[in-house]
Amino acid sequence: WWAACHGHSHPKLVAAAKKQATTMSHVMFGGLTHRPAIELAEKLLKLAGPGFDAIFYSDSGSVSVEVAIKMALQYQQAKGHPERTRLATWRGGYHGDTRAPMTVCDPEGGMHSLWTGQWTPQVFADKPPARGATEEERARYLAHFDSLIDDSVAGIIIEPVVQGAGGMRFHDHELLVGLRKLCDKHGILLIADEIATGFGRAGDLFTTQAAGVVPDIMCLGKALTGGYMTLSATLTTRHVAETISNGAAGCFMHGPTFMGNPLACAVADASLALLAENRWQAQVSAIEAQLKQELLPLAALPKVADVRVLGAIGVVEMREPVDVAELQRGFVERGVWIRPFGKLIYLMPPYIIEAEQLSRLTAAVAAAAR
């Protein structure tokens, strides 16, 4: 689900876990380091490309966002801007289930609306225009976003190109370029939550990289370990890392017990090797072509509002919320496991899926849509 890009029980990932478990399963990553963390860091920084120089490991995607937000706030404190205590984002987003990430999820339609009013409200722009927007539409939207940024804003956080659990909405890479310019204009940080999109899921290794944008902070998780272990990484620039470390605190004030877990780092290192070995670009491209061929015709059905495909993501949006329990019974009867939510029936299959297996999934989605 979202993360298992290599499928289940891949022998190379199992072997990496077994080997590391016989060496050292865990040690507190405070004042100590170890080979799996170092090797993974070197590989991640190389993949992320020029601009990133530092990594903070934590144990889940939500915590990586928590770390990113904390970084942005501590950065602004170190820069002499303690008044910058809020984040700007757009509606329709989802960033995780711990406290700070919940505050930047969609405040009304999201799963965390229960907590509205219980913490400092963040700054919310309208939902971004859908993928394929005109240059004029994008410019108008960015002007709207710009108008909301005041002296209380420390940074902008977004899910680039794909809004995941908030609605599986796709938007243009060009919006990322515009947001980067807004952050530079206001002296604030750009945080890219690539937890769901990272490592090829949306057709790019990283969507920000494909847009030619270097965020100040980037969050990674899910497919980082191929979905085998819980691990996340928050990448940042040398400027941000050194500004934080040279501030009054003297270091970044966060230290979870299982940060940099050797077992998870070893599996992640093996997962990144598999991505290269399995030619993920060709795999994702083939999945995208097949999803378009087999799902796009469903747009003609009367109960279907929209069908959209990007990379290894296929989404059928219904006009009304679906009966999840009923649909899942039908899926299980067909021998598949698909997890719809809201109005959405979607697929995010492993990259190693074979064409006939994917057709079995799309046929089940088509039956449900009918």
Side-chain angles (χ1 to χ4, degrees), residues 221-307:
K222 292 192 184 296
L224 175 58
T225 67
Y228 279 60
M229 306 282 290
T230 179
L231 178 71
S232 63
T234 307
L235 281 60
T236 192
T237 65
R238 186 170 304 282
H239 168 70
V240 171
E242 290 185 350
T243 299
I244 290 171
S245 296
N246 292 332
C251 65
F252 178 56
M253 299 300 287
H254 201 83
T257 300
F258 286 95
M259 63 184 287
N261 173 250
L263 196 54
C265 287
V267 174
D269 190 65
S271 176
L272 297 189
L274 272 179
L275 279 176
E277 178 185 315
N278 288 347
R279 300 168 295 108
W280 68 267
Q281 297 101 323
Q283 292 173 316
V284 171
S285 179
I287 291 170
E288 182 179 55
Q290 187 174 348
L291 288 174
K292 286 180 176 178
Q293 180 181 357
E294 297 177 5
L295 291 184
L296 290 182
L298 301 179
L301 295 175
K303 292 185 179 181
V304 173
D306 186 36
V307 179

Side-chain angles (χ1 to χ4, degrees), residues 15-197:
K18 284 183 176 179
K19 181 180 178 182
Q20 187 59 42
T22 62
T23 307
M24 179 177 63
S25 291
H26 183 63
V27 63
M28 174 68 176
F29 204 58
L32 298 168
T33 190
H34 48 75
R35 187 177 299 278
I38 294 168
E39 292 179 347
L40 177 60
E42 290 172 345
K43 197 168 288 187
L44 274 177
L45 291 177
K46 184 177 179 180
L47 284 176
F52 292 108
D53 299 286
I55 293 178
F56 193 93
Y57 291 121
S58 50
D59 50 357
S60 74
S62 180
V63 177
S64 79
V65 175
E66 195 92 38
V67 164
I69 292 173
K70 203 178 206 179
M71 278 185 181
L73 298 179
Q74 195 172 337
Y75 169 86
Q76 294 294 0
Q77 286 184 12
K79 291 282 284 185
H81 291 291
E83 74 282 1
R84 292 181 172 174
T85 59
R86 300 201 294 167
L87 278 293
T89 187
W90 48 38
R91 292 179 183 271
Y94 176 81
H95 297 280
D97 297 337
T98 54
R99 177 162 176 158
M102 284 199 292
T103 70
V104 288
C105 294
D106 191 281
E108 295 171 1
M111 62 183 285
H112 300 315
S113 56
L114 175 67
W115 308 102
T116 300
Q118 298 201 24
W119 37 64
T120 302
Q122 308 287 19
V123 177
F124 287 94
D126 296 337
K127 291 180 181 179
R131 191 168 181 83
T134 65
E135 185 177 348
E136 181 183 354
E137 288 171 329
R138 292 196 299 267
R140 190 162 54 243
Y141 178 78
L142 289 168
H144 155 68
F145 207 120
D146 190 14
S147 70
L148 300 175
I149 299 174
D150 59 22
D151 291 340
S152 71
V153 174
I156 293 173
I157 180 169
I158 47 97
E159 297 162 282
V161 179
V162 178
Q163 290 183 289
M168 303 297 287
R169 301 177 74 250
F170 305 157
H171 52 269
D172 296 303
H173 286 70
E174 289 84 352
L175 283 177
L176 308 183
V177 177
L179 291 176
R180 174 72 274 176
K181 291 178 179 176
L182 287 186
C183 288
D184 293 341
K185 171 185 172 182
H186 292 281
I188 60 179
L189 302 186
L190 177 62
I191 303 170
D193 176 352
E194 293 239 30
I195 293 165
T197 54

